Amino acid sequence: MGAEERRGGGGSRGKPGRGARPSARLSAYSKPPPPQLPERALRPPEQLPRRSRSRMVRGARQPQQPRSRLAPRLTGTVEKPPRKRKSRTEFALKEIMSSGGAEDDIPQGERKTVTDFCYLLDKSKQLFNGLRDLPQYGQKQWQSYFGRTFDVYTKLWKFQQQHRQVLDNRYGLKRWQIGEIASKIGQLYYHYYLRTSETSYLNEAFSFYSAIRQRSYYSQVNKEDRPELVVKKLRYYARFIVVCLLLNKMDVVKDLVKELSDEIEDYTHRFNTEDQVEWNLVLQEVAAFIEADPVMVLNDDNTIVITSNRLAETGAPLLEQGMIVGQLSLADALIIGNCNNQVKFSELTVDMFRMLQALEREPMNLASQMNKPGMQESADKPTRRENPHKYLLYKPTFSQLYTFLAASFKELPANSVLLIYLSATGVFPTGRSDSEGPYDFGGVLTNSNRDIINGDAIHKRNQSHKEMHCLHPGDLYPFTRKPLFIIVDSSNSVAYKNFTNLFGQPLVCLLSPTAYPKALQDQSQRGSLFTLFLNNPLMAFLFVSGLSSMRRGLWEKCQEYLRKINRDIAQLLTHSRSIDQAFLQFFGDEFLRLLLTRFIFCSATMRMHKIFRETRNYPESYPQLPRDETVENPHLQKHILELASILDVRNVFLENTIDDY
C-alpha cells in the first residue's frame, strides 16, 4: 500500500481575514486563452477562494475487495511522481540538433524559447506532483502552493500558445503534450473543487476536459508504440467521467463510457498488459453507478430527463414572518461511506454521492458570473452563501475518521454546525451488559487493517470486549461541545438514539430504519432508501409506490406539490409547542432545514404505507419529534394521500392512519 493510501485525503478551510487572500501573482495571469481551443473552453481561476472546503479520503481496504489501481487517482490524490530524472532542459538542445541541424545554426532567440519552455514544463510537473504532499487538513497551508501551481501552468499555457511555431519546429511539440497540459489544468480545477466544495470549479474542469475531447488532442497516441501514453489517455477519460457524474451530465457520461470501452479494448489488444481486469472493473463500476436511480423521468420522446438534486434557489422552504428559529449555519460536514457491496465509482458510494449533492448548491459558471454588471466591484462579497466544507471519507479507519472529525471540530467557526453523515454497516453488541452506557449498544463499522495471522485472536477478543473498529455513540460525545447534526443510515442506527446531551449544545440525530419490509424489492446495492428520501424525496416516494418511470410533465407537477408539503412541514415544526428547541436551532440553515423537512416527509410516508408495519421500518430521531404534531399530523397525512392520488397510487397507503396508532 502506497503512501497515498495510508494517509488518505482531506480538506481544509482558510478563514477570511486570517491570511487566506488570493495570490497577487496569480491574478496577473488569470485569463490565459488556450491555443486552438474555444475561448470558453479553458479558463484559469479568476481568483482563489478564501476558504478551503473539501477533499476525498480513503481508508484501508478490505483484503478480499477487488479494486482498481485507477481509483485513487480519480479522487483527492494526485499521481505518484515519476522517478527522478534529469531535467528536460538538459536534453532539449541535443534533440534540436538531431532534428533541426547543427546547434550553431539555431538562432539564439529560438534556443532561449525552447529552454524557457522546458523550464516551465519541468517546474509545472514538479509543483503538480507536490500536490499530494500538501497538508490534508489545516487552515491556509495549501493555498499558497495552489496559487504557485496555477501561476506556473498559466505561464506555461500562454508561452506555448505564443511560441507554437518555434516549439513545433525546434522542440517537436506534439498534440498529446498540449492535451496533457490542459488535462493537468482540468485536474487542478477538480482538486480545487475538492478543497473548496465550490461547484463552479467543476464547470471549469469540465470545460478543459471537454475541449481536449473536441480537439482530439489524444487522437495520435494510439499510433505510438508507448503503452504509458495510452494509459494517460484512459486516465483522462476516467477523470472526465467523474466530473460529468458530479455535474449530472449523464448523456456525456454514456458517450465517454462507450469511447473508454473502445479505447480499453484497443489497448489490451495491442499491448499484453496486466491491468485489463482493473480497467474492465472501472467500466463495470461506472455502468452500475449510472443505473443506480430506481426511477426514470422521461420526455415525450422517451429520452431520459436528468434531474439535479443540489440545492436550488427555490429548493428549501422559506422562513416566513413569525417563525422563530436559530441563527446557526452549517459550516462543516463529514460524509462517511462504509457499506459493503454498495455501488461506487472513484471511491464514492451512491449514498455518499447523494448526500454530497444534498449539501451543495447548483454550480455557477465562474466566468459568466464575474462578467455580470457590478460583479467586479463586489468580487470579495459573494451574493450567496458558500457551500459547507466537506470531507469525503470512503471506508476510513477509526483513527482516520477521528482525526478528520477532530480537525473539523477544531476549526468550526462560532455559531456554526458540524454535520456527520454515517452510511455504514451496523455493529451490534455481543452478549448482555449490566449497564446501558454509550458503548453498550454497538454502532457502525469503520475500516480495519486486520492482520490475517492475528485474525483468530482478534475474533476471540471481540467476544468479551467492545468492537474496537466500531464508532460508538460515546465516541462522539467529546464533539457535542459544539452544535452537532448527525445522520446515521445503518442497520444499527438506533444505537445513536441513546445519546445524552452533556454540554447543552444543540444536538440532533436523524436515524434510518434498521430494516425494510421484505415485500419491498431489495435495492441496498443501489443505495439506501432513507438517504434517497433525503436526497430526492419524490423519487423515493415513487419507488415505495411501485413506480419505475414517469413523464416529465407529471414529475414537475408532483415536485411543485412536494414544495407545498415542505412549506407546510416547516410551519408544523416552527408552530409546535412541544418540539425540542434543538430542531429549531438548526432550522435557520437552508441545508439543515431541507434535510429536516425531508426527514419528516420520509417518516410520515413510511408510517402511512401499508407494507411498512413494523417499528423497525420507521426512521427515528434524537430528540424524539412530537408525533401528533409532525410525522402523524392529520394535515400532513392528507397531503401525502393527495400526492398519492396525483400518481394514482393511493391504494398502497392507509386511509385512516390515525386509528392505527
Side-chain angles (χ1 to χ4, degrees), residues 521-569:
Q521 184 181 357
D522 183 20
Q523 294 283 328
S524 58
Q525 283 192 330
R526 299 168 69 178
S528 164
L529 178 61
F530 177 69
T531 297
L532 183 60
F533 261 105
L534 298 181
N535 166 260
N536 192 334
L538 180 55
M539 181 172 290
F541 189 88
L542 296 174
F543 173 69
V544 299
S545 301
L547 300 177
S548 59
S549 63
M550 171 179 288
R551 292 295 175 184
R552 181 172 189 167
L554 184 57
W555 171 271
E556 293 175 349
K557 179 180 179 181
C558 292
Q559 284 283 30
E560 184 61 35
Y561 192 79
L562 191 57
R563 282 190 281 271
K564 171 180 169 52
I565 294 178
N566 283 337
R567 290 193 295 269
D568 289 347
I569 292 176

Short mmCIF file of all heavy atoms in Angstrom, two decimals, residues 521-569:
data_model
loop_
_atom_site.label_atom_id
_atom_site.label_comp_id
_atom_site.label_asym_id
_atom_site.label_seq_id
_atom_site.Cartn_x
_atom_site.Cartn_y
_atom_site.Cartn_z
N GLN A 521 -38.66 -4.46 -2.88
CA GLN A 521 -37.53 -5.00 -3.62
C GLN A 521 -36.22 -4.50 -3.03
O GLN A 521 -36.06 -3.31 -2.74
CB GLN A 521 -37.63 -4.59 -5.10
CG GLN A 521 -36.53 -5.18 -5.98
CD GLN A 521 -36.67 -4.73 -7.41
OE1 GLN A 521 -37.61 -4.03 -7.76
NE2 GLN A 521 -35.73 -5.13 -8.25
N ASP A 522 -35.28 -5.41 -2.81
CA ASP A 522 -34.00 -5.06 -2.22
C ASP A 522 -33.20 -4.19 -3.17
O ASP A 522 -32.83 -4.61 -4.26
CB ASP A 522 -33.22 -6.32 -1.87
CG ASP A 522 -31.90 -6.00 -1.17
OD1 ASP A 522 -31.79 -4.88 -0.64
OD2 ASP A 522 -31.01 -6.86 -1.17
N GLN A 523 -32.93 -2.96 -2.75
CA GLN A 523 -32.17 -2.02 -3.56
C GLN A 523 -30.91 -1.56 -2.84
O GLN A 523 -30.33 -0.53 -3.18
CB GLN A 523 -33.05 -0.80 -3.89
CG GLN A 523 -34.23 -1.10 -4.77
CD GLN A 523 -33.83 -1.25 -6.22
OE1 GLN A 523 -32.89 -0.61 -6.68
NE2 GLN A 523 -34.54 -2.09 -6.95
N SER A 524 -30.50 -2.31 -1.81
CA SER A 524 -29.40 -1.84 -0.97
C SER A 524 -28.11 -1.61 -1.76
O SER A 524 -27.35 -0.70 -1.44
CB SER A 524 -29.15 -2.84 0.17
OG SER A 524 -28.86 -4.13 -0.35
N GLN A 525 -27.86 -2.44 -2.77
CA GLN A 525 -26.65 -2.24 -3.56
C GLN A 525 -26.69 -0.93 -4.33
O GLN A 525 -25.65 -0.34 -4.61
CB GLN A 525 -26.45 -3.40 -4.53
CG GLN A 525 -25.91 -4.67 -3.88
CD GLN A 525 -25.46 -5.68 -4.92
OE1 GLN A 525 -26.01 -5.74 -6.02
NE2 GLN A 525 -24.47 -6.48 -4.58
N ARG A 526 -27.87 -0.47 -4.66
CA ARG A 526 -28.03 0.76 -5.43
C ARG A 526 -28.28 1.97 -4.54
O ARG A 526 -28.68 3.03 -5.02
CB ARG A 526 -29.17 0.58 -6.43
CG ARG A 526 -28.91 -0.54 -7.43
CD ARG A 526 -30.15 -0.90 -8.22
NE ARG A 526 -30.56 0.14 -9.14
CZ ARG A 526 -31.58 0.02 -9.98
NH1 ARG A 526 -32.29 -1.10 -10.00
NH2 ARG A 526 -31.92 1.00 -10.79
N GLY A 527 -28.02 1.81 -3.25
CA GLY A 527 -28.17 2.94 -2.33
C GLY A 527 -29.32 2.74 -1.37
O GLY A 527 -30.28 2.01 -1.64
N SER A 528 -29.24 3.41 -0.24
CA SER A 528 -30.25 3.28 0.80
C SER A 528 -31.50 4.09 0.48
O SER A 528 -31.42 5.21 -0.05
CB SER A 528 -29.66 3.75 2.14
OG SER A 528 -30.68 3.99 3.08
N LEU A 529 -32.65 3.54 0.83
CA LEU A 529 -33.92 4.24 0.63
C LEU A 529 -33.98 5.49 1.51
O LEU A 529 -34.49 6.53 1.08
CB LEU A 529 -35.08 3.30 0.95
CG LEU A 529 -36.49 3.90 0.84
CD1 LEU A 529 -36.77 4.39 -0.58
CD2 LEU A 529 -37.53 2.87 1.26
N PHE A 530 -33.48 5.40 2.72
CA PHE A 530 -33.51 6.54 3.63
C PHE A 530 -32.71 7.71 3.06
O PHE A 530 -33.20 8.85 3.04
CB PHE A 530 -32.95 6.10 4.99
CG PHE A 530 -32.87 7.20 6.00
CD1 PHE A 530 -34.02 7.77 6.54
CD2 PHE A 530 -31.64 7.68 6.43
CE1 PHE A 530 -33.95 8.78 7.49
CE2 PHE A 530 -31.56 8.69 7.38
CZ PHE A 530 -32.71 9.24 7.91
N THR A 531 -31.50 7.46 2.60
CA THR A 531 -30.68 8.52 2.02
C THR A 531 -31.32 9.06 0.75
O THR A 531 -31.24 10.26 0.45
CB THR A 531 -29.26 8.01 1.74
OG1 THR A 531 -28.63 7.66 2.97
CG2 THR A 531 -28.41 9.06 1.04
N LEU A 532 -31.97 8.18 -0.03
CA LEU A 532 -32.66 8.64 -1.23
C LEU A 532 -33.77 9.63 -0.87
O LEU A 532 -33.98 10.62 -1.57
CB LEU A 532 -33.24 7.45 -2.00
CG LEU A 532 -33.93 7.77 -3.32
CD1 LEU A 532 -32.96 8.43 -4.30
CD2 LEU A 532 -34.52 6.50 -3.95
N PHE A 533 -34.49 9.38 0.22
CA PHE A 533 -35.52 10.32 0.67
C PHE A 533 -34.90 11.67 1.01
O PHE A 533 -35.49 12.72 0.74
CB PHE A 533 -36.26 9.77 1.89
CG PHE A 533 -37.58 9.12 1.56
CD1 PHE A 533 -37.71 7.75 1.56
CD2 PHE A 533 -38.70 9.89 1.25
CE1 PHE A 533 -38.92 7.14 1.26
CE2 PHE A 533 -39.91 9.30 0.95
CZ PHE A 533 -40.04 7.92 0.96
N LEU A 534 -33.72 11.68 1.62
CA LEU A 534 -33.08 12.94 1.99
C LEU A 534 -32.50 13.66 0.78
O LEU A 534 -32.32 14.89 0.80
CB LEU A 534 -31.95 12.67 3.00
CG LEU A 534 -32.36 12.06 4.34
CD1 LEU A 534 -31.14 11.88 5.23
CD2 LEU A 534 -33.43 12.89 5.03
N ASN A 535 -32.21 12.92 -0.29
CA ASN A 535 -31.62 13.50 -1.50
C ASN A 535 -32.67 13.84 -2.54
O ASN A 535 -32.65 14.92 -3.14
CB ASN A 535 -30.60 12.52 -2.07
CG ASN A 535 -30.18 12.87 -3.48
OD1 ASN A 535 -30.66 12.28 -4.46
ND2 ASN A 535 -29.27 13.83 -3.60
N ASN A 536 -33.61 12.93 -2.78
CA ASN A 536 -34.62 13.11 -3.81
C ASN A 536 -35.92 12.47 -3.32
O ASN A 536 -36.25 11.35 -3.67
CB ASN A 536 -34.15 12.44 -5.11
CG ASN A 536 -35.02 12.81 -6.30
OD1 ASN A 536 -36.19 13.16 -6.15
ND2 ASN A 536 -34.45 12.74 -7.49
N PRO A 537 -36.66 13.18 -2.46
CA PRO A 537 -37.84 12.58 -1.83
C PRO A 537 -38.91 12.12 -2.81
O PRO A 537 -39.58 11.11 -2.56
CB PRO A 537 -38.37 13.70 -0.92
CG PRO A 537 -37.73 14.96 -1.42
CD PRO A 537 -36.43 14.57 -2.02
N LEU A 538 -39.08 12.81 -3.92
CA LEU A 538 -40.11 12.40 -4.87
C LEU A 538 -39.74 11.06 -5.52
O LEU A 538 -40.60 10.19 -5.68
CB LEU A 538 -40.31 13.47 -5.94
CG LEU A 538 -41.37 13.15 -7.00
CD1 LEU A 538 -42.71 12.82 -6.36
CD2 LEU A 538 -41.52 14.30 -8.00
N MET A 539 -38.48 10.89 -5.89
CA MET A 539 -38.05 9.62 -6.48
C MET A 539 -38.23 8.48 -5.47
O MET A 539 -38.67 7.38 -5.84
CB MET A 539 -36.59 9.70 -6.93
CG MET A 539 -36.07 8.43 -7.58
SD MET A 539 -34.44 8.60 -8.33
CE MET A 539 -34.82 9.66 -9.74
N ALA A 540 -37.91 8.73 -4.21
CA ALA A 540 -38.10 7.71 -3.18
C ALA A 540 -39.58 7.39 -2.99
O ALA A 540 -39.96 6.22 -2.82
CB ALA A 540 -37.48 8.18 -1.86
N PHE A 541 -40.43 8.41 -3.05
CA PHE A 541 -41.87 8.21 -2.92
C PHE A 541 -42.40 7.35 -4.07
O PHE A 541 -43.23 6.45 -3.88
CB PHE A 541 -42.58 9.56 -2.90
CG PHE A 541 -44.04 9.50 -2.57
CD1 PHE A 541 -44.46 9.53 -1.25
CD2 PHE A 541 -45.00 9.40 -3.57
CE1 PHE A 541 -45.81 9.47 -0.93
CE2 PHE A 541 -46.35 9.35 -3.26
CZ PHE A 541 -46.76 9.37 -1.94
N LEU A 542 -41.91 7.62 -5.27
CA LEU A 542 -42.32 6.82 -6.43
C LEU A 542 -41.88 5.38 -6.28
O LEU A 542 -42.62 4.44 -6.60
CB LEU A 542 -41.73 7.41 -7.71
CG LEU A 542 -42.20 8.81 -8.11
CD1 LEU A 542 -41.43 9.31 -9.32
CD2 LEU A 542 -43.69 8.81 -8.41
N PHE A 543 -40.67 5.19 -5.76
CA PHE A 543 -40.14 3.84 -5.62
C PHE A 543 -40.97 3.01 -4.64
O PHE A 543 -41.34 1.87 -4.93
CB PHE A 543 -38.68 3.88 -5.18
CG PHE A 543 -38.11 2.54 -4.85
CD1 PHE A 543 -37.90 1.59 -5.84
CD2 PHE A 543 -37.80 2.20 -3.55
CE1 PHE A 543 -37.38 0.34 -5.54
CE2 PHE A 543 -37.28 0.95 -3.23
CZ PHE A 543 -37.07 0.02 -4.23
N VAL A 544 -41.27 3.57 -3.47
CA VAL A 544 -42.06 2.81 -2.49
C VAL A 544 -43.49 2.63 -2.97
O VAL A 544 -44.21 1.76 -2.47
CB VAL A 544 -42.05 3.48 -1.11
CG1 VAL A 544 -40.64 3.57 -0.56
CG2 VAL A 544 -42.70 4.86 -1.15
N SER A 545 -43.91 3.42 -3.96
CA SER A 545 -45.26 3.28 -4.52
C SER A 545 -45.30 2.29 -5.67
O SER A 545 -46.37 2.07 -6.25
CB SER A 545 -45.77 4.65 -4.99
OG SER A 545 -45.81 5.57 -3.93
N GLY A 546 -44.14 1.72 -6.02
CA GLY A 546 -44.10 0.71 -7.06
C GLY A 546 -43.96 1.25 -8.46
O GLY A 546 -44.17 0.50 -9.44
N LEU A 547 -43.61 2.53 -8.62
CA LEU A 547 -43.46 3.13 -9.94
C LEU A 547 -41.98 3.16 -10.33
O LEU A 547 -41.11 3.42 -9.51
CB LEU A 547 -44.01 4.56 -9.95
CG LEU A 547 -45.50 4.70 -9.58
CD1 LEU A 547 -45.90 6.18 -9.55
CD2 LEU A 547 -46.36 3.93 -10.56
N SER A 548 -41.70 2.90 -11.59
CA SER A 548 -40.32 2.88 -12.07
C SER A 548 -40.04 3.93 -13.14
O SER A 548 -38.89 4.12 -13.52
CB SER A 548 -39.97 1.49 -12.64
OG SER A 548 -40.84 1.16 -13.71
N SER A 549 -41.08 4.60 -13.62
CA SER A 549 -40.89 5.66 -14.61
C SER A 549 -42.03 6.65 -14.53
O SER A 549 -43.11 6.34 -14.00
CB SER A 549 -40.79 5.08 -16.03
OG SER A 549 -42.00 4.44 -16.39
N MET A 550 -41.79 7.85 -15.08
CA MET A 550 -42.80 8.91 -15.03
C MET A 550 -42.51 9.92 -16.12
O MET A 550 -41.34 10.19 -16.45
CB MET A 550 -42.79 9.58 -13.66
CG MET A 550 -43.64 10.82 -13.58
SD MET A 550 -43.62 11.54 -11.94
CE MET A 550 -44.61 10.34 -11.10
N ARG A 551 -43.56 10.50 -16.66
CA ARG A 551 -43.42 11.55 -17.66
C ARG A 551 -43.00 12.85 -17.01
O ARG A 551 -43.34 13.14 -15.87
CB ARG A 551 -44.74 11.75 -18.42
CG ARG A 551 -45.12 10.57 -19.30
CD ARG A 551 -44.11 10.37 -20.41
NE ARG A 551 -44.40 9.16 -21.20
CZ ARG A 551 -43.63 8.72 -22.18
NH1 ARG A 551 -42.51 9.38 -22.50
NH2 ARG A 551 -43.93 7.63 -22.83
N ARG A 552 -42.29 13.64 -17.77
CA ARG A 552 -41.72 14.87 -17.22
C ARG A 552 -42.79 15.82 -16.70
O ARG A 552 -42.62 16.43 -15.63
CB ARG A 552 -40.88 15.55 -18.30
CG ARG A 552 -40.21 16.83 -17.83
CD ARG A 552 -39.25 17.35 -18.87
NE ARG A 552 -38.46 18.45 -18.35
CZ ARG A 552 -37.38 18.94 -18.95
NH1 ARG A 552 -36.97 18.40 -20.11
NH2 ARG A 552 -36.71 19.93 -18.44
N GLY A 553 -43.86 15.97 -17.42
CA GLY A 553 -44.91 16.89 -17.00
C GLY A 553 -45.48 16.53 -15.64
O GLY A 553 -45.67 17.40 -14.78
N LEU A 554 -45.76 15.26 -15.43
CA LEU A 554 -46.30 14.81 -14.15
C LEU A 554 -45.24 14.95 -13.06
O LEU A 554 -45.56 15.30 -11.91
CB LEU A 554 -46.76 13.36 -14.27
CG LEU A 554 -47.44 12.76 -13.03
CD1 LEU A 554 -48.65 13.59 -12.62
CD2 LEU A 554 -47.85 11.31 -13.29
N TRP A 555 -44.00 14.67 -13.39
CA TRP A 555 -42.91 14.83 -12.42
C TRP A 555 -42.85 16.27 -11.90
O TRP A 555 -42.75 16.51 -10.69
CB TRP A 555 -41.59 14.43 -13.06
CG TRP A 555 -40.36 14.74 -12.26
CD1 TRP A 555 -39.63 15.89 -12.30
CD2 TRP A 555 -39.71 13.89 -11.30
NE1 TRP A 555 -38.57 15.82 -11.43
CE2 TRP A 555 -38.59 14.60 -10.79
CE3 TRP A 555 -39.95 12.61 -10.83
CZ2 TRP A 555 -37.73 14.07 -9.85
CZ3 TRP A 555 -39.09 12.07 -9.88
CH2 TRP A 555 -38.00 12.80 -9.40
N GLU A 556 -42.89 17.23 -12.81
CA GLU A 556 -42.80 18.63 -12.41
C GLU A 556 -44.02 19.05 -11.60
O GLU A 556 -43.90 19.85 -10.65
CB GLU A 556 -42.66 19.51 -13.66
CG GLU A 556 -41.32 19.30 -14.37
CD GLU A 556 -41.22 20.07 -15.68
OE1 GLU A 556 -42.28 20.60 -16.13
OE2 GLU A 556 -40.12 20.14 -16.25
N LYS A 557 -45.19 18.50 -11.93
CA LYS A 557 -46.39 18.80 -11.15
C LYS A 557 -46.25 18.27 -9.72
O LYS A 557 -46.59 18.96 -8.75
CB LYS A 557 -47.61 18.17 -11.83
CG LYS A 557 -48.92 18.39 -11.09
CD LYS A 557 -50.09 17.73 -11.82
CE LYS A 557 -51.39 17.92 -11.05
NZ LYS A 557 -52.54 17.26 -11.75
N CYS A 558 -45.73 17.07 -9.59
CA CYS A 558 -45.54 16.48 -8.26
C CYS A 558 -44.45 17.22 -7.48
O CYS A 558 -44.56 17.38 -6.25
CB CYS A 558 -45.17 15.01 -8.39
SG CYS A 558 -46.52 13.97 -9.01
N GLN A 559 -43.41 17.68 -8.16
CA GLN A 559 -42.37 18.44 -7.48
C GLN A 559 -42.93 19.74 -6.91
O GLN A 559 -42.58 20.14 -5.78
CB GLN A 559 -41.21 18.75 -8.45
CG GLN A 559 -40.30 17.58 -8.75
CD GLN A 559 -39.32 17.29 -7.62
OE1 GLN A 559 -39.61 17.52 -6.46
NE2 GLN A 559 -38.16 16.75 -7.97
N GLU A 560 -43.78 20.37 -7.66
CA GLU A 560 -44.40 21.61 -7.17
C GLU A 560 -45.27 21.33 -5.95
O GLU A 560 -45.26 22.09 -4.98
CB GLU A 560 -45.23 22.26 -8.28
CG GLU A 560 -45.84 23.59 -7.90
CD GLU A 560 -44.79 24.63 -7.54
OE1 GLU A 560 -43.72 24.62 -8.16
OE2 GLU A 560 -45.06 25.45 -6.64
N TYR A 561 -46.01 20.22 -5.97
CA TYR A 561 -46.84 19.87 -4.83
C TYR A 561 -45.97 19.49 -3.63
O TYR A 561 -46.30 19.81 -2.48
CB TYR A 561 -47.77 18.71 -5.18
CG TYR A 561 -48.84 18.48 -4.13
CD1 TYR A 561 -49.97 19.29 -4.09
CD2 TYR A 561 -48.72 17.47 -3.19
CE1 TYR A 561 -50.95 19.10 -3.13
CE2 TYR A 561 -49.69 17.27 -2.22
CZ TYR A 561 -50.81 18.10 -2.20
OH TYR A 561 -51.76 17.91 -1.23
N LEU A 562 -44.83 18.86 -3.88
CA LEU A 562 -43.93 18.50 -2.79
C LEU A 562 -43.34 19.74 -2.14
O LEU A 562 -43.11 19.76 -0.91
CB LEU A 562 -42.81 17.60 -3.33
CG LEU A 562 -41.91 16.92 -2.29
CD1 LEU A 562 -42.74 16.06 -1.34
CD2 LEU A 562 -40.86 16.06 -2.98
N ARG A 563 -43.09 20.78 -2.91
CA ARG A 563 -42.62 22.04 -2.33
C ARG A 563 -43.67 22.62 -1.38
O ARG A 563 -43.33 23.18 -0.32
CB ARG A 563 -42.26 23.04 -3.42
CG ARG A 563 -40.90 22.76 -4.07
CD ARG A 563 -40.47 23.90 -4.98
NE ARG A 563 -41.14 23.83 -6.26
CZ ARG A 563 -40.67 23.16 -7.31
NH1 ARG A 563 -39.53 22.49 -7.21
NH2 ARG A 563 -41.33 23.15 -8.44
N LYS A 564 -44.94 22.47 -1.73
CA LYS A 564 -46.02 22.92 -0.84
C LYS A 564 -46.01 22.10 0.44
O LYS A 564 -46.19 22.64 1.55
CB LYS A 564 -47.36 22.78 -1.57
CG LYS A 564 -48.58 23.02 -0.68
CD LYS A 564 -49.87 22.88 -1.47
CE LYS A 564 -51.08 22.85 -0.55
NZ LYS A 564 -51.13 23.99 0.39
N ILE A 565 -45.79 20.79 0.32
CA ILE A 565 -45.72 19.93 1.51
C ILE A 565 -44.57 20.36 2.41
O ILE A 565 -44.72 20.44 3.64
CB ILE A 565 -45.57 18.45 1.10
CG1 ILE A 565 -46.82 17.96 0.37
CG2 ILE A 565 -45.29 17.58 2.31
CD1 ILE A 565 -46.73 16.53 -0.12
N ASN A 566 -43.43 20.67 1.83
CA ASN A 566 -42.29 21.12 2.62
C ASN A 566 -42.58 22.42 3.36
O ASN A 566 -42.16 22.61 4.51
CB ASN A 566 -41.05 21.29 1.73
CG ASN A 566 -40.40 19.98 1.37
OD1 ASN A 566 -40.56 18.98 2.06
ND2 ASN A 566 -39.65 19.97 0.27
N ARG A 567 -43.29 23.33 2.70
CA ARG A 567 -43.65 24.59 3.37
C ARG A 567 -44.56 24.32 4.56
O ARG A 567 -44.40 24.92 5.63
CB ARG A 567 -44.33 25.54 2.38
CG ARG A 567 -43.39 26.10 1.31
CD ARG A 567 -44.03 27.26 0.58
NE ARG A 567 -45.21 26.86 -0.17
CZ ARG A 567 -45.19 26.48 -1.45
NH1 ARG A 567 -44.02 26.43 -2.10
NH2 ARG A 567 -46.30 26.14 -2.08
N ASP A 568 -45.49 23.40 4.40
CA ASP A 568 -46.41 23.08 5.50
C ASP A 568 -45.68 22.37 6.63
O ASP A 568 -45.98 22.59 7.81
CB ASP A 568 -47.56 22.21 4.98
CG ASP A 568 -48.53 23.00 4.11
OD1 ASP A 568 -48.42 24.25 4.11
OD2 ASP A 568 -49.37 22.38 3.43
N ILE A 569 -44.71 21.49 6.28
CA ILE A 569 -43.92 20.82 7.33
C ILE A 569 -43.13 21.86 8.13
O ILE A 569 -43.02 21.77 9.36
CB ILE A 569 -42.98 19.78 6.71
CG1 ILE A 569 -43.79 18.61 6.13
CG2 ILE A 569 -41.99 19.26 7.75
CD1 ILE A 569 -42.95 17.58 5.40
#
